[in-house]
Amino acid sequence: MKSLLTYLALLVSFSSLSAFLAMHEPQKPQEAVLCHADIDAIRSFAAFTNQEDFKKMHSMDRELNTESFKGKRISFDVASGDKGEAYYVPSAKKSSKYLFVFHEWWGLNDYVRNESDRLSKELGGVNVIALDLYDGKVGTTREQAGALMKACDPQRAASIIQGALAFVGKDAKIATIGWCFGGGWSLQAALQLKDQAVGCVMYYGMPVKDVDRLSQLNCDVLGIFGEKDKWINPEVVANFENHMQEAKKTVTVKMYAADHAFANPSSDRYNEKDAKNANATALKYLKKKF
């Protein structure tokens, strides 16, 4: 009888241990599934690189403080292909709150690291992960940036997002933010994250036009745009608002009397007054979502 009880006790212990390990087993990244609406939005923005006016709208003429970054470079598994990489600024205290940051057409450069550090400091208690959708490549000229954006494979980029999702785990609550090329990917990521998405900020990025696809959003969207933007122009923004209304989703639009890329402090298009106001609006939104 004693042997039987001992056996049963060991069996219960083993079952409990197995359950514990199963609960804490690292998630395996899944392959991303993109629909035509996603690819259309991504490709239509990339096509802007064929226009000289769009290229001239971007520059990196202003100096940034790059003396000390708070985060570190990390890597994580991706379902197929090489590992994904990101710039990671962990919260000072353990937290299940994450902000996924998406870079402009230049790539994950010092500007994006600076913005990630700023957001980490201002949000507090939130882990910030700036995803590298270019796999380590960074453009320093307009021609290089344009070539990188056109060459960015939507499937690979989406799979990197899925890898980051597996990295942070199923209990993470995630908001997204991005500018320009990254503004569009902020919305794409919010769609991919499904019920783990708590908020989405997109600065002058290309919206998804398909109502059925937008109806799958789990969160609302804060869209920040410029009235003088020739590409993500007021007509594009108005259509986005209509599509979101049809999808029964909420988008809050903040329109500024500024041009494309007005919030990038490394650009000669930088509009300090409007950028600070937009950043304060985004920060208030994110704090509410977290």
Side-chain angles (χ1 to χ4, degrees):
M1 184 69 177
K2 185 176 181 181
S3 299
L4 179 60
L5 291 174
T6 301
Y7 171 78
L8 290 173
L10 288 171
L11 184 61
V12 170
S13 297
F14 179 77
S15 298
S16 299
L17 178 60
S18 298
F20 176 85
L21 291 174
M23 290 174 59
H24 293 78
E25 183 180 1
Q27 284 189 291
K28 293 182 179 180
Q30 298 179 355
E31 189 59 82
V33 177
L34 289 175
C35 67
H36 290 299
D38 297 324
I39 295 173
D40 285 348
I42 295 163
R43 292 302 189 199
S44 61
F45 193 86
F48 291 152
T49 60
N50 297 324
Q51 303 177 26
E52 287 302 316
D53 285 352
F54 183 80
K55 292 180 182 178
K56 291 177 181 178
M57 187 57 59
H58 298 78
S59 65
M60 290 195 297
D61 297 336
R62 294 163 56 91
E63 293 293 326
L64 294 174
N65 176 20
T66 59
E67 293 180 1
S68 60
F69 292 119
K70 306 299 182 186
K72 60 183 179 181
R73 191 86 175 180
I74 62 168
S75 63
F76 45 84
D77 291 334
V78 174
S80 61
D82 297 332
K83 285 180 177 288
E85 296 188 347
Y87 175 72
Y88 179 38
V89 191
S91 168
K93 296 181 179 179
K94 186 176 180 180
S95 173
S96 60
K97 302 172 184 177
Y98 287 83
L99 178 66
F100 282 6
V101 177
F102 293 90
H103 57 74
E104 289 188 320
W105 77 329
W106 303 103
L108 209 172
N109 58 12
D110 287 347
Y111 155 60
V112 179
R113 283 186 280 271
N114 271 346
E115 290 298 289
S116 298
D117 285 355
R118 174 183 68 81
L119 287 163
S120 172
K121 180 179 179 180
E122 292 178 346
L123 284 172
V126 177
N127 305 287
V128 177
I129 299 183
L131 301 179
D132 188 348
L133 301 188
Y134 288 174
D135 287 313
K137 300 182 180 69
V138 176
T140 57
T141 67
R142 295 184 178 104
E143 289 70 25
Q144 289 174 351
L148 286 170
M149 187 167 77
K150 287 175 71 174
C152 181
D153 178 12
Q155 184 62 49
R156 169 64 181 172
S159 294
I160 289 171
I161 294 169
Q162 288 298 124
L165 178 59
F167 176 79
V168 302
K170 61 182 177 61
D171 295 326
K173 298 301 179 185
I174 309 165
T176 65
I177 189 171
W179 308 264
C180 185
F181 165 82
W185 274 105
S186 178
L187 179 59
Q188 293 288 343
L191 284 161
Q192 279 187 240
L193 298 173
K194 298 181 180 178
D195 61 354
Q196 288 185 247
V198 297
C200 170
V201 180
M202 55 186 304
Y203 284 73
Y204 34 82
M206 179 61 76
V208 172
K209 299 176 183 178
D210 186 85
V211 173
D212 289 338
R213 181 63 171 141
L214 290 173
S215 69
Q216 298 172 36
L217 269 170
N218 188 64
C219 64
D220 67 337
V221 177
L222 171 62
I224 294 170
F225 304 99
E227 291 178 359
K228 299 177 183 178
D229 194 325
K230 296 177 183 177
W231 298 275
I232 312 300
N233 55 44
E235 182 181 357
V236 171
V237 176
N239 287 335
F240 180 41
E241 289 182 281
N242 290 335
H243 294 149
M244 285 286 280
Q245 185 175 12
E246 287 182 55
K248 295 181 171 54
K249 299 296 177 181
T250 301
V251 58
T252 301
V253 168
K254 292 285 291 184
M255 188 71 77
Y256 292 87
D259 219 325
H260 189 79
F262 75 87
N264 184 339
S266 66
S267 170
D268 61 2
R269 304 286 176 181
Y270 179 59
N271 183 317
E272 184 175 9
K273 179 181 178 181
D274 287 344
K276 286 186 175 181
N277 185 278
N279 292 344
T281 300
L283 182 65
K284 182 179 179 180
Y285 169 85
L286 290 170
K287 282 186 174 181
K288 185 178 180 180
K289 297 305 169 184
F290 285 127

